[in-house]
Amino acid sequence: MDHMEELSLKQIKFPNDWETKPNKIEYMEFVYQEAIDMEVWRKDNEIDILTHHHVTDLSRFFWPIADFEGLVLGAELMVWFFAFDELFDGSFIDDNEDEQYRLSNRMNKVFLEGIIDSNPTGAEKMGHFLRNKVKAICGEKRLSTFNRFIYACVQWVDSVIPFNKLKKNQKSLDIDLYLYHRKFNVGAIPCAMISEIILDPMSTIESCIWSDPRWIKMSETICQVVTLANDCVSYDKEIKENGGLLNPLKFIQIQKNFNLQEAYEYISNYSNELIKQYIELETSFIKSYKHTTGFNSNLIPIVDHLRSLSIESVCWSIQSPRYLSQTHPFVELRRNSKIITKICNLK
């Protein structure tokens, strides 16, 4: 394996003004106690504490200007993502397809109907809590926001089993087919939906704006950028865990008879073209609504959040122990994974 290639994530050309400074960390302990109460985490378990750091740390990167309540809401979403996905990815139900669909249907009922099982999993408790919290915040005035958030969460739930089947089949995919599925599975669309609440708390922006096809396409394009960047970051880990065949960096090598350097050239060029398409859509979208109420105070921060989803997912990854490795082909991640710094004291 040519793992000691000198590759750099800087070859993905994010505009300089997209990068921001991460938010404060105080929300983490609050959400940790919630997750303990909902039995997502085991109290004082070292592995769960480190996992909580890893999972909820994303909130301060994705929402750099959010207040405490907004960071909490974003972190609750991250905990729910992890808790549900781990049921399928952590060998808790193995290859029992009936059990997989049973859990998936139960989670969909949580979001669609607000109904929770009498013996719920920690993921279902967090999902039910999150659903009811968003519903209470939205009220009747923001029913459209609530409905779109619920649909985005259901889309993500429905993507988990098919994506896990792709991983188990160990067959490489065409990159366009892969990205079409991953735009739902990567989880960025629910993040974009919840940003309407986090960054426009007083509901100053007409909800019809978020039905603009350009905004929807912008969100989907950013999902693809996030996917490809994440796949570069996770490449070394997936190769070591024999899951690399569904990583574009690997299957592009196989399909096109490329070496790793050539495959990354292909992926970075593909990513840069997506970023270019996004910028064109964003420019047109902003121009159409520059006279809208709340344009500068609320609409622009929500648009900026899409940028944060892409570049800050990379910034978060290069400081996360999950992906660091002394053999990583990307120089930004070539560090000792045992160097773990706790950024808050959870008890």
Side-chain angles (χ1 to χ4, degrees), residues 15-26:
N16 292 332
D17 62 346
W18 283 23
E19 189 169 353
T20 58
K21 183 180 178 180
N23 213 319
K24 298 177 181 179
I25 64 172
E26 285 77 6

Side-chain angles (χ1 to χ4, degrees), residues 1-5 235-244 250 253 259-260 325 327-329:
M1 261 189 318
D2 45 359
H3 264 203
M4 295 309 290
E5 292 273 0
Y235 176 79
D236 187 73
K237 180 177 182 293
E238 291 178 8
I239 291 295
K240 290 175 179 176
E241 295 174 356
N242 296 318
K250 185 62 177 180
Q253 291 180 64
N259 60 33
L260 181 57
S325 167
T327 60
H328 209 295

Side-chain angles (χ1 to χ4, degrees), residues 81-132:
F81 279 149
F82 176 85
F84 183 69
D85 193 50
E86 188 67 4
L87 292 173
F88 300 84
D89 229 14
S91 299
F92 293 105
I93 53 179
D94 297 317
D95 295 322
N96 187 332
E97 190 168 284
D98 290 340
E99 180 67 5
Q100 291 175 8
Y101 280 106
R102 187 180 73 86
L103 287 174
S104 182
N105 291 335
R106 275 174 41 164
M107 187 61 79
N108 277 339
K109 188 173 288 187
V110 166
F111 277 89
L112 292 170
E113 306 293 346
I115 298 173
I116 191 167
D117 191 80
S118 59
N119 184 30
T121 63
E124 288 166 351
K125 291 178 182 178
M126 180 58 80
H128 190 253
F129 173 81
L130 183 63
R131 187 242 192 218
N132 289 342

Side-chain angles (χ1 to χ4, degrees), residues 159-184:
S159 76
V160 171
I161 293 175
F163 188 68
N164 282 343
K165 286 184 176 181
L166 289 177
K167 288 194 289 186
K168 289 177 181 178
N169 284 341
Q170 289 289 298
K171 293 180 180 178
S172 61
L173 292 176
D174 174 84
I175 190 166
D176 294 320
L177 179 61
Y178 171 77
L179 286 175
Y180 181 81
H181 182 80
R182 282 287 276 162
K183 72 181 179 182
F184 302 111

Side-chain angles (χ1 to χ4, degrees), residues 125-266:
K125 291 178 182 178
M126 180 58 80
H128 190 253
F129 173 81
L130 183 63
R131 187 242 192 218
N132 289 342
K133 183 175 182 178
V134 171
K135 184 178 182 180
I137 294 172
C138 289
E140 292 298 322
K141 184 179 179 182
R142 307 183 75 169
L143 190 57
S144 173
T145 298
F146 173 71
N147 286 338
R148 283 181 291 110
F149 172 70
I150 294 302
Y151 182 61
C153 289
V154 169
Q155 275 190 316
W156 179 78
V157 169
D158 287 345
S159 76
V160 171
I161 293 175
F163 188 68
N164 282 343
K165 286 184 176 181
L166 289 177
K167 288 194 289 186
K168 289 177 181 178
N169 284 341
Q170 289 289 298
K171 293 180 180 178
S172 61
L173 292 176
D174 174 84
I175 190 166
D176 294 320
L177 179 61
Y178 171 77
L179 286 175
Y180 181 81
H181 182 80
R182 282 287 276 162
K183 72 181 179 182
F184 302 111
N185 180 256
V186 76
I189 292 179
C191 293
M193 296 294 105
I194 214 168
S195 287
E196 295 177 35
I197 300 168
I198 293 174
L199 301 174
D200 184 24
M202 302 307 294
S203 187
T204 60
I205 302 171
E206 293 183 23
S207 61
C208 64
I209 289 177
W210 308 121
S211 299
D212 187 314
R214 289 170 297 183
W215 173 255
I216 296 171
K217 183 64 175 176
M218 286 162 61
S219 301
E220 292 180 352
T221 301
I222 285 296
C223 286
Q224 294 177 318
V225 175
V226 169
T227 292
L228 291 176
N230 285 354
D231 287 336
C232 290
V233 166
S234 63
Y235 176 79
D236 187 73
K237 180 177 182 293
E238 291 178 8
I239 291 295
K240 290 175 179 176
E241 295 174 356
N242 296 318
L245 283 179
L246 206 59
N247 186 301
L249 269 179
K250 185 62 177 180
F251 68 66
I252 290 298
Q253 291 180 64
I254 296 171
Q255 291 174 1
K256 297 185 178 294
N257 197 26
F258 282 172
N259 60 33
L260 181 57
Q261 175 69 52
E262 292 168 329
Y264 181 53
E265 288 279 348
Y266 182 92

